[in-house]
């Protein structure tokens, strides 16, 4: 018996809903080959790139994210749909379908990134 392929709607329904001050961030898909080559990356290399990712897309936020006026006197640091930068090991890592996500605290976001295509780890 073949494994059923989940539709986008089924995958979206499987995403956890952030609670409290948590932010749900989707990580970009990791390329199968090294830049400018046909050389395939090993599964270990791809996994390390996921683990060390520092850029993601804000998918959802808990209802308490950025509401503490003492900690965030100028308001939210980001919003749904923003690309953001965070520390490599921030948050709880998990996958839904082929996409890796991080569930992290609102204050783990370190920057909003207008164009993430040119950003990489140093």
């Amino acid at each position: 018996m073949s494994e059923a392929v989940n539709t986008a709607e089924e995958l979206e329904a499987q995403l956890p809903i952030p609670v409290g001050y948590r932010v749900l961030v989707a990580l970009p898909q990791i390329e199968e080959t090294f830049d400018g080559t046909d050389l395939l990356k090993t599964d270990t290399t791809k996994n390390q790139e996921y683990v060390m990712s520092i850029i993601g897309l804000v998918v959802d936020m808990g209802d308490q994210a950025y509401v503490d006026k003492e900690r965030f006197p100028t308001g939210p640091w980001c919003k749904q749909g923003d690309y953001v930068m965070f520390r490599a090991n921030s948050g709880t890592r998990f996958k839904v379908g082929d996409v890796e996500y991080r569930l992290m605290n609102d204050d783990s976001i370190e920057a909003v990134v207008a164009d993430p295509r040119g950003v990489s780890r140093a």
Side-chain angles (χ1 to χ4, degrees):
M1 186 171 199
S2 66
E3 189 174 308
V5 176
N6 290 330
T7 66
E9 291 159 350
E10 290 171 328
L11 292 173
E12 188 173 328
Q14 295 173 10
L15 284 177
I17 298 169
V19 296
Y21 51 87
R22 305 297 191 287
V23 178
L24 179 63
V25 176
L27 301 184
Q29 293 294 98
I30 300 296
E31 297 295 325
E32 294 289 323
T33 59
F34 290 97
D35 287 343
T37 73
D38 291 329
L39 186 60
L40 290 174
K41 295 177 183 176
T42 65
D43 288 340
T44 301
T45 299
K46 290 187 287 187
N47 185 51
Q48 287 172 340
E49 288 185 26
Y50 267 130
V51 170
M52 300 309 286
S53 291
I54 59 168
I55 298 289
L57 178 69
V58 177
V59 176
D60 200 0
M61 292 198 259
D63 61 353
Q64 294 297 307
Y66 299 112
V67 298
D68 185 335
K69 299 296 184 203
E70 286 186 29
R71 292 175 60 220
F72 308 105
T74 60
W77 292 351
C78 63
K79 63 185 179 312
Q80 194 171 352
D82 283 347
Y83 284 97
V84 293
M85 182 179 288
F86 45 86
R87 291 179 186 257
N89 294 310
S90 294
T92 302
R93 297 176 50 229
F94 64 95
K95 281 182 116 172
V96 174
D98 291 332
V99 178
E100 183 167 329
Y101 294 87
R102 303 261 176 102
L103 191 57
M104 61 183 70
N105 297 341
D106 53 7
D107 62 356
S108 294
I109 304 298
E110 297 191 344
V112 174
V113 180
D115 183 358
R117 293 175 293 185
V119 179
S120 62
R121 269 186 70 80

